[in-house]
Amino acid sequence: MNLVGRSAMTVTSKKRHRRGLPRSAKQSVKVERTIFYYNPKSTLVLTQHSPSGSLHVSVWDSVVPPITQSYIINNSSFAIMSFFSNTAVSSSRLIYITAGLMFNPASPLPFGGPKTQPGYVDYVGTTVPSLLRYLVEASFKWYWLCRGRTAIDFLTHSVNNARNLHFAGNADLLNELMLKGMKKAGHIAWTGIVTIPKELRHTPDAFSPQNQDAFSPQNQVAVAFTPRLALFTTGVKTEGGVERCNPYTEDS
């Protein structure tokens, strides 16, 4: 895998000792530090994997013409919505639960960070669709900026975990995570009594053998990675023809 090196700090001066100068007046030497970023080698997209009943990170096959970032974000968001729709509760509830799992200073970047300024504070939206788009867009943009696929894997794991927790049926834990997600997203006040709206309340779901206990070992392994996709061979159809854009540049 190719690496891109960027010099983050450079040596600003040589150490010089002068008699009569106080220690504070002596120039310090900054050690040069190089940060390595991984080049995004593949075009990734989130998809449902029906046999396992889970969300996967898939590689868009190279035979498919390049697709835009917007297409990847929109289709990955749709995959999550479709994945959540196969439950007895509102997709909005599961999106808030996912945010409750992800919005933590200890989470990987770009969501985590210092306790006083974690990455998720960059989200300023006011609707559930904007929250879902932020989760997907921030994850993929981190990958496109050569930071590796950790953020995409974290999002995928959190989405699967939210759905697994729902099937496990612990309403108190689910409500706590949902309210945490709503508060940290800025959609409800931090203090005061909160009444959960009827459309966001927990509804027990019939147990599915595809959705094991979220805390079982088989659901704590690395994010699954599907084979390369070969869904289209003639391009991504759009109004007026075939879309052929660079997936690693912003849409114009």
Side-chain angles (χ1 to χ4, degrees):
M1 182 172 291
N2 296 331
L3 294 177
V4 178
R6 293 183 182 176
S7 179
M9 302 176 66
T10 58
V11 178
T12 57
S13 65
K14 295 181 179 180
K15 186 180 291 184
R16 298 178 181 177
H17 298 282
R18 297 182 181 178
R19 293 183 180 179
L21 288 177
R23 174 172 296 189
S24 59
K26 296 179 180 179
Q27 292 179 307
S28 61
V29 177
K30 294 183 179 180
V31 179
E32 184 172 332
R33 179 167 58 91
T34 301
I35 300 174
F36 291 97
Y37 299 126
Y38 292 93
N39 285 328
K41 302 285 288 186
S42 305
T43 301
L44 304 181
V45 66
L46 301 185
T47 60
Q48 288 192 74
H49 188 244
S50 299
S52 64
S54 61
L55 192 75
H56 276 203
V57 181
S58 299
V59 177
W60 200 274
D61 197 285
S62 58
V63 301
V64 181
I67 55 178
T68 65
Q69 291 182 354
S70 293
Y71 186 91
I72 292 172
I73 291 170
N74 290 339
N75 277 266
S76 295
S77 299
F78 178 80
I80 293 175
M81 286 294 294
S82 179
F83 182 64
F84 282 161
S85 67
N86 296 320
T87 64
V89 297
S90 165
S91 296
S92 296
R93 174 178 171 86
L94 294 176
I95 291 170
Y96 279 129
I97 291 172
T98 301
L101 293 168
M102 297 180 68
F103 283 4
N104 191 302
S107 297
L109 293 172
F111 304 104
K115 290 184 178 180
T116 55
Q117 193 73 17
Y120 64 80
V121 300
D122 289 341
Y123 170 71
V124 294
T126 58
T127 64
V128 177
S130 72
L131 177 58
L132 174 61
R133 183 170 182 87
Y134 167 75
L135 295 176
V136 175
E137 194 172 66
S139 299
F140 276 92
K141 282 188 173 181
W142 198 248
Y143 174 70
W144 293 327
L145 288 172
C146 304
R147 266 63 169 184
R149 52 172 284 181
T150 303
I152 297 178
D153 288 342
F154 179 58
L155 169 64
T156 307
H157 175 79
S158 298
V159 168
N160 285 322
N161 199 18
R163 191 167 180 263
N164 287 335
L165 285 169
H166 165 70
F167 279 101
N170 188 333
D172 290 338
L173 174 61
L174 291 165
N175 288 338
E176 181 181 346
L177 286 170
M178 183 189 70
L179 293 175
K180 177 183 176 183
M182 296 177 75
K183 289 179 179 180
K184 292 198 172 185
H187 289 187
I188 60 173
W190 273 97
T191 58
I193 299 175
V194 178
T195 301
I196 298 177
K198 183 178 180 179
E199 60 271 17
L200 292 179
R201 294 175 186 171
H202 176 69
T203 301
D205 224 311
F207 179 81
S208 168
Q210 293 181 336
N211 298 281
Q212 305 293 329
D213 185 342
F215 296 105
S216 61
Q218 59 266 38
N219 285 311
Q220 299 301 316
V221 297
V223 175
F225 204 57
T226 63
R228 291 182 176 275
L229 295 177
L231 303 182
F232 305 96
T233 56
T234 58
V236 180
K237 291 293 183 181
T238 60
E239 193 173 5
V242 178
E243 188 174 293
R244 298 175 183 272
C245 300
N246 188 337
Y248 300 125
T249 58
E250 291 291 344
D251 300 330
S252 57

